[in-house]
Amino acid sequence: MEPRGQRSGRTGRPPRLSQEAILVAAQRILDTEGPERLSMRRLAREMSSTAMALYHHVQDKDELLLLLLDAHARRYPRPVLPSDPHTRLLASAQVLHDLLADCPWIAEVLSFDDFVSESALWIVENIVDAAVECGMALEDAVYAYRVIWHYTAGVLAIRAGRERVQARAERPEHREHALEFLDSVDFPRLNAVGRRWAGLTARDDHRKGLEAVVAGLLEQKAGSGAGETAAVAGAGAEAVRGCPCC
């Protein structure tokens, strides 16, 4: 018989299930144990319930994480964005990064290309609108958003993976200095970087990369426009040459 006062687990009446209560419990697990420990079964134990009962309120773990992200986005303060479209495009893209950077578990849902958090759509709207104001067609502005989103998602996913590995101290020490032992004839640049590789690749260069991405998108738009103008001009000249009155 188990001694009095030493019973394990939760006691008392199980909490009434609701989507709000489920999100609170899921966030508690994320904060205390990390995203790798969050599962519907773990969540059910946290709530003294069953996974089947949770499915009446949340479809699956993916929906659970999106709901958590949506709740986080609702709490995120909306900054006053610049009126200049180029500056606003950069600022909106930075807000997208900063919003998601506060959720290290977001890497779990980054594989969804149709990712959307309803409460964060104002950021998407501003990115697309700023791109249009920069001279892009609406379709090209959506493409620009997707490029920015993929870059941001990649940065966050890699950062989260690196932090998990470093936290578990599973990375062999020799990998930190492996490049300096490469053949300097076959790999002259990597050999020259050597021990500095780990520090250089661990730097937070998101903003620098973001500026390069946006500059590339705008340059691509400008180049496309110049090409279209030249094509139109060439077609016009050909039409003039073919005109029977000339």
Side-chain angles (χ1 to χ4, degrees):
M1 178 180 294
E2 187 176 18
R4 289 179 177 270
Q6 296 186 17
R7 295 179 62 188
S8 61
R10 292 180 177 272
T11 59
R13 187 174 182 177
R16 183 176 180 180
L17 287 181
S18 67
Q19 191 176 90
E20 182 179 1
I22 290 172
L23 293 180
V24 170
Q27 187 65 60
R28 184 164 59 244
I29 295 173
L30 286 170
D31 292 340
T32 59
E33 302 179 27
E36 65 277 3
R37 295 296 303 275
L38 179 62
S39 66
M40 298 302 283
R41 288 186 177 182
R42 173 67 186 89
L43 183 57
R45 290 199 305 273
E46 179 74 11
M47 303 192 71
S48 300
S49 184
T50 64
M52 188 61 66
L54 299 184
Y55 289 130
H56 291 291
H57 303 273
V58 180
Q59 182 176 349
D60 51 27
K61 182 181 175 180
D62 294 330
E63 184 184 32
L64 174 65
L65 291 173
L66 286 174
L67 288 170
L68 286 167
L69 178 59
D70 196 60
H72 172 67
R74 287 197 300 270
R75 298 190 298 268
Y76 194 87
R78 294 194 184 189
V80 177
L81 296 172
S83 56
D84 173 69
H86 185 178
T87 309
R88 180 155 51 95
L89 181 57
L90 275 171
S92 301
Q94 184 66 51
V95 170
L96 177 66
H97 167 271
D98 295 346
L99 168 67
L100 300 180
D102 287 339
C103 307
W105 40 267
I106 191 58
E108 291 284 341
V109 293
L110 291 185
S111 59
F112 290 90
D113 190 52
D114 59 349
F115 159 82
V116 64
S117 169
E118 185 175 350
S119 296
L121 283 178
W122 62 272
I123 305 177
V124 182
E125 171 69 20
N126 274 281
I127 291 175
V128 173
D129 180 67
V132 170
E133 290 294 321
C134 285
M136 293 185 184
L138 183 58
E139 292 79 4
D140 292 334
V142 173
Y143 162 75
Y145 161 72
R146 291 185 66 245
V147 171
I148 292 171
W149 161 243
H150 290 163
Y151 167 68
T152 302
V155 168
L156 294 173
I158 291 172
R159 183 185 302 165
R162 178 185 293 118
E163 290 175 353
R164 282 197 297 269
V165 170
Q166 290 175 342
R168 293 195 296 261
E170 292 179 355
R171 189 175 186 178
E173 184 178 353
H174 72 85
R175 291 187 181 180
E176 297 290 339
H177 312 300
L179 293 184
E180 68 177 311
F181 300 112
L182 288 174
D183 189 295
S184 60
V185 175
D186 294 334
F187 305 97
R189 303 302 183 190
L190 297 181
N191 178 271
V193 172
R195 294 185 178 214
R196 293 180 295 141
W197 181 271
L200 292 174
T201 57
R203 294 190 310 195
D204 185 0
D205 290 329
H206 164 262
R207 178 68 185 200
K208 182 178 179 180
L210 176 62
E211 292 174 357
V213 167
V214 171
L217 288 167
L218 295 178
E219 183 178 352
Q220 187 180 65
K221 183 270 303 180
S224 174
E228 290 173 1
T229 301
V232 171
E238 185 65 29
V240 169
R241 285 194 296 269
C243 179
C245 62
C246 297

